[in-house]
């Protein structure tokens, strides 16, 4: 199954603060916050939620199709994605804007403060997801968090063509109002968010968890250290704990990696529980490195992580389709 992904391609500027943000925030004074954090290092990595998901899917043996807009400064990045196994024919180059940029500082507790410059991704609505998906015979589309106009347009195109789609509004839930959010999720095959985002979505739309369940096929809610909850129809929720992690280097891109692992497994016919386990294992892989695409999946190590975390049965379930990726992407 080919997967089309609508979502930003970005350069990530990542910094590390050795203290804790929570210790610098004063209760009762948050309406006057003006802080500067001295960081010990800085690196630039290839990122963007759309590209991160596509890269993860390619690492797991699929040939995903990325749809959107980049700047002229992304030529090397796009070439690297293509070498890694991503179909980049759905990317267009903006004549006026730079590639999106994500600036993020992570503290000692793995909490993050970040800003996102949308750049060329603001023009992604000019690229037809319908055309790319039809040409590439995509059977599933992931509408990741990005430019709201693009999210609405690409969601509409999926409905018009009857392509099952994943509603993944994530960070944009804070920006959009209730009617706009309902438009993005209604009829989705999957709704993906973290726990706080789901609560915010429910509050803004005025919908209960049950009412949201009536609008979507499967709800996937990541719960941080508590794992992930997967709900479908009237069935009991599926709970998947986090995977084994050797070291926590940087959380940037872990949510994108979870999505890649989850949907790679679903495209291969695995159950919701197994898909949650594969997604969690790929998220753990990314947590151990700095940068959302600075890993090349080692099949033996990945299988071992699945076995340690969830048992040999899970590891055995992926043996018939898990393949190593062609080339690492490396540092921008």
């Amino acid at each position: 199954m080919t997967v089309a992904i609508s979502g930003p391609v970005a350069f990530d500027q990542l910094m590390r603060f050795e203290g804790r943000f929570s210790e610098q925030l004063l209760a009762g004074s948050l309406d006057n916050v003006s802080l500067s954090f001295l960081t010990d290092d800085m690196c630039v990595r290839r990122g963007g939620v759309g590209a991160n998901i596509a890269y993860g899917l390619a690492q797991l043996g699929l040939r995903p199709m990325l749809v959107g807009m980049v700047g002229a400064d992304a030529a090397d990045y796009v070439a690297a994605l293509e070498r890694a196994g991503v179909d980049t024919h759905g990317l267009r180059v903006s004549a006026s804007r730079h590639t999106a940029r994500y600036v993020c500082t992570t503290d000692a507790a793995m909490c993050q403060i970040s800003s996102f410059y949308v750049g060329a991704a603001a023009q992604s609505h000019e690229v037809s997801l319908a055309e790319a998906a039809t040409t590439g015979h995509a059977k599933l589309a992931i509408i990741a968090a990005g430019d709201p106009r693009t999210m609405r347009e690409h969601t509409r195109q999926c409905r018009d063509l009857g392509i099952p789609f994943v509603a993944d509004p994530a960070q944009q839930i804070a920006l959009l109002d209730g009617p706009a959010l309902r438009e993005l999720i209604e009829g989705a095959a999957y709704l993906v968010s973290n726990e706080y985002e789901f609560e915010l979505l429910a509050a803004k739309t005025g919908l209960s968890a049950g009412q949201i369940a009536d609008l979507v096929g499967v709800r996937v809610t990541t719960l941080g250290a508590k794992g992930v909850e997967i709900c479908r129809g009237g069935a009991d929720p599926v709970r998947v704990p986090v995977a084994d992690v050797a070291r926590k280097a940087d959380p940037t891109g872990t949510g994108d990696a979870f999505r890649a692992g989850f949907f790679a497994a679903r495209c291969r016919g695995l159950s919701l529980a197994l898909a949650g386990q594969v997604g969690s294992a790929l998220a753990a892989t990314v947590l151990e490195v700095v940068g959302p695409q600075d890993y090349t999946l080692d099949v033996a190590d990945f299988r071992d992580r699945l076995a340690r975390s969830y048992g040999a049965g899970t590891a055995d379930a992926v043996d018939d389709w898990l393949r190593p990726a062609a080339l690492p992407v490396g540092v921008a």
Side-chain angles (χ1 to χ4, degrees):
M1 179 187 291
T2 301
V3 180
I5 303 112
S6 167
V9 176
F11 291 110
D12 290 356
Q13 185 171 308
L14 307 177
M15 292 169 280
R16 183 66 179 263
F17 173 58
E18 293 304 324
R20 292 173 180 261
F21 296 140
S22 61
E23 296 173 352
Q24 319 305 321
L25 301 173
L26 300 176
S29 299
L30 297 181
D31 56 343
N32 294 312
V33 170
S34 179
L35 290 172
S36 177
F37 298 99
L38 181 65
T39 61
D40 296 328
D41 58 10
M42 190 275 287
C43 61
V44 178
R45 296 290 191 267
R46 296 182 178 114
V49 294
N52 293 343
I53 295 170
Y55 180 81
L57 287 165
Q59 289 288 301
L60 290 169
L62 276 71
R63 172 108 172 129
M65 176 184 301
L66 192 53
V67 180
M69 190 81 77
V70 298
D73 54 338
D76 290 344
Y77 186 173
V78 172
L81 285 170
E82 186 68 39
R83 292 197 303 272
V86 176
D87 183 345
T88 62
H89 290 95
L91 293 178
R92 301 290 182 268
V93 179
S94 170
S96 59
R97 298 197 180 203
H98 293 292
T99 302
R101 183 170 288 265
Y102 175 68
V103 180
C104 180
T105 302
T106 303
D107 75 358
M110 295 284 112
C111 294
Q112 296 183 308
I113 294 177
S114 60
S115 298
F116 185 73
Y117 164 66
V118 68
Q123 298 173 292
S124 292
H125 63 274
E126 300 173 10
V127 185
S128 172
L129 182 143
E131 180 181 344
T134 301
T135 302
H137 306 289
K139 304 301 182 183
L140 179 71
I142 300 175
I143 313 298
D147 169 58
R149 182 175 176 183
T150 300
M151 296 167 70
R152 289 193 297 268
E153 177 61 21
H154 286 175
T155 298
R156 182 192 63 76
Q157 292 175 17
C158 287
R159 289 195 184 100
D160 289 347
L161 284 177
I163 298 174
F165 66 94
V166 179
D168 185 12
Q171 301 94 332
Q172 297 297 4
I173 293 174
L175 176 66
L176 299 171
D177 62 19
L181 288 168
R182 179 164 181 153
E183 180 185 357
L184 290 177
I185 70 171
E186 191 163 5
Y190 297 85
L191 169 63
V192 185
S193 70
N194 65 32
E195 188 173 21
Y196 180 80
E197 290 164 350
F198 180 74
E199 292 174 358
L200 184 58
L201 184 148
K204 285 195 164 191
T205 58
L207 299 171
S208 67
Q211 289 171 322
I212 292 174
D214 291 338
L215 296 179
V216 303
V218 177
R219 173 170 66 86
V220 183
T221 308
T222 58
L223 308 172
K226 296 180 291 183
V228 61
E229 179 181 75
I230 307 168
C231 303
R232 176 165 59 182
D236 291 336
V238 174
R239 288 277 189 139
V240 177
V242 296
D244 179 68
V245 176
R247 59 185 288 267
K248 295 181 179 180
D250 182 64
T252 306
T254 53
D256 303 332
F258 171 82
R259 288 154 171 78
F262 181 88
F263 288 110
R266 290 296 286 166
C267 287
R268 300 289 188 175
L270 271 65
S271 69
L272 291 173
L274 285 170
Q277 292 168 355
V278 173
S280 298
L282 193 64
T285 300
V286 173
L287 183 57
E288 293 179 350
V289 301
V290 177
Q293 297 175 35
D294 281 68
Y295 68 100
T296 300
L297 196 69
D298 182 290
V299 173
D301 287 348
F302 191 68
R303 189 189 189 286
D304 184 57
R305 190 191 300 274
L306 286 169
R308 292 196 314 270
S309 303
Y310 306 113
T314 297
D316 291 343
V318 305
D319 272 349
D320 62 340
W321 58 267
L322 190 60
R323 298 289 184 272
L327 292 170
V329 169
V331 178

